[in-house]
Amino acid sequence: MRRAAYEHTRSFASRINSFQLPNIEREFLRYGLVAVLFIGVAFAILIQIVHIQLSDDGEIFRQNIQNLETVYHTFYPGRGDIYDKNGHLLAGSRQVYEVAVDLYYVRNAQTIAIVLSNAMRDHVGYDRAEYYFEVLEKASRQPTNETNYLVVADYVTDDELAMIKEIAAGYLYGSESNTSETPPSLSGLVYRPRLQRIYPEKDLASNLLGFTDWDGNGLYGLELSYNGHLAGQPFTRVFSVDPLAADEMPEVEKGGDVILTITREIQAAVEDILDRAVNNSGATAGTIVVMNPQNGEILAMTSSRRMDLNRYYDFPEIINSSLPYNMPFGQTYEPGSVFKVLTMAAALDSGTVTPETTYIDTGYIEIGGIPIYNWNYGAWGEQNMTGCLQHSLNVCMVTLAQKMTPTIFYNYMRNFGIGRTSGMDLYGEPSGRLKLPGDKDWFESDLGTNSFGQGVAVTPIQMLAAISALANDGQMVQPHVVQAYVKGGRQYTTQNTPLGSPIKAETARTLSEMLAISLEEEASDALVEGYRVSGKTGTAQIPTPTGYHPSLTNASFVGWGPTDDPQIMVYIWLQEPTSSPWGSVVAAPVFAEVFQRVAVLTNLPPDSVRIQLNGPTVKLDIPGAAP
Amino acid sequence: MNRPIYKAESAAGDSQAAAAGSEHTTQTSGQRPHERKRNSATAGEGSTRSRTPTSKRRLADDRAPWRVQMQVTGTVLLVFVAVAIVALFYLNVSAKTAALGRLIQFYTVRLDGPHRVNAEDPEGTIIPIEEIDIRIAGLRAELAELTSLERMEARAQAMGFEPLGTESIIFLEVPGYQPRGAISLAPPPAAQVASASSILPIYRPSLIDELGQGWSGLVDKIMALVIQSEEVQP
């Protein structure tokens, strides 16, 4: 039995061995062949890889791959905003759209032209028929490597885009049923959002703010002066399409913001008053500037005519292009009698006269061979210096200038900044004109005419800067409209810049009191109920190439208050008023109205209340002062 | 009858043979003729009863080559599974990274160009930061228009308000009152902080960090279960 089992096992093993070993060898041979085949293929691939790398085509491949790996994207940071002092937006940006055609994907240019000309039929500056052909021409172009993206509509509003999308939805779901050769299609019509300048307050402070062009470049006013700060700097960044190489979002810093010293309520009130004043006086134009004489902050600044800044393309029709856009800042003129306060300040400060000094006014004086008369050609007899200001006597001013001598007079005028820019934080300030002894065109008679504001050219802002010394204890302040600016996530507050001390503090207070008295004595329309104010009217003849105009005048008024603690200073200039040529008639009441309104809006209590709260103030003993 | 003999021989023989299927034996009597012949040729007459483990293994491998194949296959499979597990984990992490990377890219800019008018969902679901900034600016302007002085005055007048005159104002002294100053849109200038990445470390986990987080989460769950079970017990 065991033998049989053994034989059986032996036979089995023998069969196994006789077949298995050759099978293994064959399999090994097959595997080997396959392995060799794979190795050969791999080697061939390797050779080809090396070949491609080293061949000329390799560089092309690498370039193509690099182009596909990255995407260039240009960021257009938004333009900075302009706010009033309380944070109300005066100039911002709104979302609009740029609609374009991607020529690679345009299937039916006609459809695109029809849809766009319908959707944009009410868009400003788009003529429907012309626009249709314009779009058709652009959309029909063949794409090239340089241009495959063509803008066909810009500054598209939300409503217009919604209409385009609505029509597009109809094509999207209805085009399958169309069996024509070139079915209607909006394929290739693309859009992307962008920003457009907007002025929420429309024409408020339009002369100060200015505006930008279509491309967002500042053209006038603050938009021009601070264009470098407001405009964001576009930059291009390369992005990898490889999601594993996604990098951090680059910091897209929009343009800096600007915070102004004006408040929209005061600005609107002043503009309203100016419009009525111009209308009532029949003036061709008007200007009002309100400033805090203690720090130079402009509280309001306006002139006529103004315009809705959102429709800036109407600019040529509204604004006289021969005149500066911002009249208070950019227009020089002969100020007339308001200039007398500077002459009197120089005379008092230099010790030439005191408030009590008297002189006999004969109504006539000759200087440099030129006769000078008072405004009414009358003689006013004995007058002290307060009376001199109160009656705005030209002869008195010439007398003071002569007594001071040209050197002293013009030194004071230069110290007051006459004939120089004030350095206000706006672009393009004219320097004005003050002829000086030694200049080729200076004559002795100029000393006389300059003393009462003729023959000099200043801007209202320069006059405010000079006269601020009278309202601020002898310290001139630099007018400015920018309270602070924001850049890089930080807010920088501007510093008040003193412009020097042309006169002593005592002189300033004395003169301020004299001017208050002169208004009170005269029962001027400039007086404000509840507040004691100082001020001076001005009526200046208008120079022409052939001399002064016989009837046209510039009516002005400069005033400030409360006299003992001036916080509001107002400059008014009405050009060529027809109801009356006199500043005392047309400009003085405007001052009263402006001061009262601004006092309410700045929470300035009447003098009685203020004195009650703060204690009595020292009143100077000035001859002629009311008890 | 053969089976007990093989068993006995297997029990007396080496364990390797037994593991190979109990059909091999180290006894000379159990050897097949050709093996004996080969053994005689290699080890001589005197070595027929004392073979080394190596030769035994070789003999076993010769007799059952599928054993080697199984071993090789098993080893390869083991390596393959190990590599697959690592690859799976790597793929999982890299897929998540890629998905988030793509999301970051889309949230950053529109890499695929402008919006298509005829797209079914032109707006898309992801709005990049760039366009969000534009929308915010637009909304700010819209709010300013809605609250412009002209509109506010019109509303106030419609509600019966009128401009206040000086005579209507009652001034009160409020101790410590600070008048309203200029608006503050941003903090004042401060010392510059050294430039640092705006991405917090929590958003930059390494593989070890992820493993650690997973482990911590697992431990926390287990601990929570343990605590829960202890609380359930009376």
Side-chain angles (χ1 to χ4, degrees):
Chain A
M1 196 66 183
R2 291 186 63 175
R3 184 66 186 173
Y6 171 72
E7 288 300 330
H8 173 76
T9 305
R10 184 180 172 186
S11 167
F12 176 76
S14 174
R15 280 201 308 274
I16 294 271
N17 288 335
S18 62
F19 288 105
Q20 210 164 36
L21 288 176
N23 272 349
I24 289 173
E25 286 169 3
R26 279 201 300 273
E27 284 178 10
F28 183 79
L29 186 62
R30 283 203 299 272
Y31 290 145
L33 284 173
V34 171
V36 167
L37 183 66
F38 274 103
I39 290 170
V41 170
F43 191 70
I45 291 172
L46 192 66
I47 294 289
Q48 183 62 11
I49 288 172
V50 173
H51 174 256
I52 290 172
Q53 290 291 327
L54 298 178
S55 69
D56 293 339
D57 293 337
E59 185 58 35
I60 299 171
F61 284 137
R62 275 192 290 274
Q63 187 63 44
N64 288 341
I65 289 168
Q66 196 174 3
N67 290 341
L68 293 172
E69 276 180 342
T70 55
V71 171
Y72 285 86
H73 186 83
T74 303
F75 291 92
Y76 297 95
R79 191 174 175 84
D81 300 328
I82 301 176
Y83 297 89
D84 80 346
K85 191 172 186 175
N86 293 331
H88 295 112
L89 190 68
L90 300 178
S93 302
R94 69 171 175 177
Q95 178 175 305
V96 290
Y97 302 92
E98 175 187 274
V99 178
V101 285
D102 189 341
L103 296 175
Y104 281 118
Y105 299 100
V106 172
R107 291 182 193 161
N108 192 327
Q110 197 173 16
T111 312
I112 292 174
I114 292 171
V115 169
L116 279 184
S117 58
N118 277 325
M120 304 288 290
R121 59 180 177 271
D122 296 328
H123 198 87
V124 176
Y126 282 64
D127 179 80
R128 191 173 178 180
E130 286 182 14
Y131 181 59
Y132 168 82
F133 288 109
E134 183 187 335
V135 175
L136 186 63
E137 187 273 325
K138 283 185 177 177
S140 302
R141 291 183 195 174
Q142 292 300 312
T144 63
N145 287 335
E146 288 77 24
T147 53
N148 67 310
Y149 182 90
L150 290 175
V151 178
V152 289
D154 209 350
Y155 301 100
V156 177
T157 63
D158 281 326
D159 293 340
E160 290 165 342
L161 184 70
M163 187 181 292
I164 294 171
K165 283 183 184 174
E166 192 179 335
I167 300 170
Y171 282 113
L172 184 67
Y173 298 111
S175 58
E176 288 180 2
S177 60
N178 195 307
T179 56
S180 63
E181 191 175 339
T182 312
S185 172
L186 288 175
S187 177
L189 191 60
V190 297
Y191 69 93
R192 59 181 167 201
R194 57 171 299 177
L195 291 169
Q196 181 189 23
R197 203 63 165 159
I198 189 173
Y199 303 90
E201 302 288 348
K202 298 178 180 173
D203 66 341
L204 186 81
S206 60
N207 300 111
L208 174 62
L209 294 176
F211 53 83
T212 64
D213 61 9
W214 284 109
D215 296 324
N217 300 310
L219 290 183
Y220 289 98
L222 280 161
E223 294 278 25
L224 172 63
S225 303
Y226 287 85
N227 190 55
H229 174 75
L230 290 165
Q233 297 299 320
F235 65 95
T236 301
R237 174 83 182 264
V238 180
F239 285 92
S240 172
V241 295
D242 178 4
L244 294 175
D247 203 354
E248 290 183 41
M249 168 80 176
E251 190 175 344
V252 184
E253 188 181 328
K254 72 164 198 166
D257 299 329
V258 173
I259 303 168
L260 303 182
T261 57
I262 69 166
T263 56
R264 66 175 188 176
E265 288 79 11
I266 297 176
Q267 180 74 23
V270 170
E271 288 181 357
D272 182 49
I273 293 169
L274 175 67
D275 289 346
R276 279 189 280 112
V278 169
N279 192 39
N280 294 338
S281 67
T284 56
T287 290
I288 297 179
V289 184
V290 183
M291 186 180 82
N292 183 338
Q294 296 182 357
N295 54 26
E297 288 181 4
I298 299 293
L299 306 178
M301 184 179 193
T302 185
S303 62
S304 55
R305 306 170 61 188
R306 297 182 303 279
M307 64 176 198
D308 182 353
L309 294 172
N310 298 310
R311 299 176 57 86
Y312 73 88
Y313 36 81
D314 295 336
F315 165 69
E317 299 167 16
I318 297 174
I319 307 293
N320 186 343
S321 59
S322 65
L323 296 174
Y325 183 78
N326 187 347
M327 291 282 285
F329 174 75
Q331 179 64 51
T332 58
Y333 80 119
E334 291 191 3
S337 296
V338 290
F339 200 83
K340 289 173 182 169
V341 296
L342 301 181
T343 303
M344 183 60 76
L348 291 171
D349 197 71
S350 62
T352 306
V353 292
T354 65
E356 299 83 13
T357 303
T358 58
Y359 92 110
I360 306 297
D361 186 87
T362 58
Y364 168 83
I365 191 169
E366 189 174 303
I367 181 168
I370 302 293
I372 303 291
Y373 301 94
N374 286 325
W375 57 274
N376 63 348
Y377 296 94
W380 291 77
E382 184 177 355
Q383 294 288 328
N384 63 13
M385 293 301 108
T386 304
C388 197
L389 287 171
Q390 181 182 334
H391 305 303
S392 193
L393 302 178
N394 295 342
V395 176
C396 175
M397 292 299 133
V398 175
T399 305
L400 294 180
Q402 282 181 319
K403 280 188 176 178
M404 276 189 280
T405 71
T407 304
I408 294 174
F409 174 78
Y410 284 110
N411 275 345
Y412 271 100
M413 294 306 114
R414 294 290 291 172
N415 290 339
F416 275 119
I418 304 302
R420 290 204 306 264
T421 60
S422 68
M424 188 181 177
D425 47 357
L426 289 173
Y427 173 75
E429 182 183 11
S431 60
R433 179 79 166 104
L434 177 66
K435 291 184 285 186
L436 297 172
D439 290 347
K440 287 181 180 177
D441 56 349
W442 185 86
F443 302 98
E444 191 181 352
S445 59
D446 286 324
L447 177 66
T449 54
N450 292 166
S451 66
F452 55 89
Q454 278 192 352
V456 294
V458 292
T459 65
I461 285 294
Q462 288 161 5
M463 283 300 292
L464 269 179
I467 299 174
S468 68
L470 278 61
N472 191 36
D473 288 343
Q475 288 266 350
M476 279 172 64
V477 292
Q478 190 175 57
H480 60 277
V481 288
V482 174
Q483 174 79 34
Y485 58 92
V486 180
K487 190 74 176 176
R490 299 286 176 183
Q491 181 166 321
Y492 301 87
T493 303
T494 56
Q495 301 297 318
N496 302 326
T497 308
L499 292 179
S501 303
I503 55 173
K504 295 184 279 291
E506 185 185 352
T507 307
R509 287 195 288 267
T510 301
L511 184 53
S512 197
E513 188 66 26
M514 289 167 65
L515 290 166
I517 293 165
S518 66
L519 289 181
E520 290 161 355
E521 291 286 308
E522 199 180 2
S524 170
D525 290 336
L527 292 174
V528 183
E529 187 178 350
Y531 300 89
R532 190 155 189 265
V533 295
S534 306
K536 179 75 186 77
T537 58
T539 304
Q541 291 177 288
I542 296 177
T544 66
T546 56
Y548 285 96
H549 195 282
S551 57
L552 296 179
T553 61
N554 280 321
S556 307
F557 190 93
V558 62
W560 58 94
T563 299
D564 61 331
D565 183 20
Q567 295 178 43
I568 299 168
M569 183 175 234
V570 184
Y571 195 95
I572 295 156
W573 170 26
L574 297 174
Q575 292 175 253
E576 304 173 13
T578 53
S579 64
S580 169
W582 306 111
S584 58
V585 178
V586 293
V590 179
F591 166 80
E593 194 175 359
V594 170
F595 188 95
Q596 196 156 37
R597 194 79 202 117
V598 174
V600 171
L601 292 171
T602 55
N603 297 323
L604 178 65
D607 290 348
S608 57
V609 177
R610 183 170 50 84
I611 291 167
Q612 186 183 347
L613 295 176
N614 299 339
T617 56
V618 178
K619 190 174 180 181
L620 293 172
D621 183 20
I622 303 295
Chain B
M1 289 301 287
N2 291 336
R3 200 167 185 82
I5 294 171
Y6 281 114
K7 269 191 169 179
E9 286 173 348
S10 177
D14 62 354
S15 60
Q16 195 174 13
S22 302
E23 61 176 319
H24 307 138
T25 175
T26 56
Q27 298 295 325
T28 308
S29 59
Q31 282 188 323
R32 283 164 289 194
H34 73 277
E35 287 180 342
R36 279 207 299 272
K37 196 184 292 177
R38 194 166 57 185
N39 288 341
S40 300
T42 56
E45 289 296 324
S47 62
T48 53
R49 301 186 67 87
S50 59
R51 293 197 172 103
T52 63
T54 307
S55 62
K56 289 177 187 173
R57 192 180 301 118
R58 190 179 299 132
L59 180 62
D61 292 345
D62 287 346
R63 285 183 177 177
W66 55 270
R67 289 179 67 235
V68 178
Q69 292 169 2
M70 286 290 285
Q71 285 174 353
V72 171
T73 307
T75 307
V76 169
L77 276 176
L78 193 65
V79 171
F80 178 78
V81 169
V83 170
I85 290 171
V86 173
L88 189 69
F89 192 75
Y90 173 79
L91 193 64
N92 184 34
V93 172
S94 59
K96 278 184 184 173
T97 309
L100 289 173
R102 181 64 74 203
L103 206 58
I104 289 170
Q105 286 177 329
F106 279 135
Y107 276 124
T108 305
V109 291
R110 284 184 60 84
L111 292 179
D112 50 351
H115 302 263
R116 288 178 294 130
V117 168
N118 63 344
E120 289 196 29
D121 183 14
E123 287 298 329
T125 53
I126 298 175
I127 306 168
I129 294 170
E130 188 184 14
E131 292 186 8
I132 289 176
D133 286 342
I134 292 176
R135 288 189 183 195
I136 291 171
L139 289 172
R140 194 185 295 125
E142 193 178 336
L143 180 65
E145 281 185 310
L146 292 171
T147 57
S148 67
L149 186 64
E150 186 182 9
R151 292 198 184 194
M152 297 303 283
E153 280 186 344
R155 285 181 62 189
Q157 285 173 3
M159 295 168 73
F161 291 98
E162 57 185 25
L164 199 63
T166 317
E167 67 284 354
S168 309
I169 301 175
I170 299 172
F171 289 91
L172 297 174
E173 185 178 12
V174 180
Y177 169 75
Q178 291 294 324
R180 186 180 180 182
I183 188 75
S184 175
L185 298 177
Q192 293 292 316
V193 179
S195 179
S197 171
S198 60
I199 296 180
L200 297 173
I202 194 173
Y203 297 116
R204 292 180 176 274
S206 66
L207 193 61
I208 296 173
D209 293 334
E210 284 222 337
L211 286 172
Q213 281 181 2
W215 176 252
S216 301
L218 188 65
V219 169
D220 290 345
K221 282 182 181 174
I222 293 171
M223 291 301 294
L225 284 172
V226 170
I227 292 168
Q228 195 177 3
S229 63
E230 285 177 352
E231 286 175 350
V232 170
Q233 287 176 357

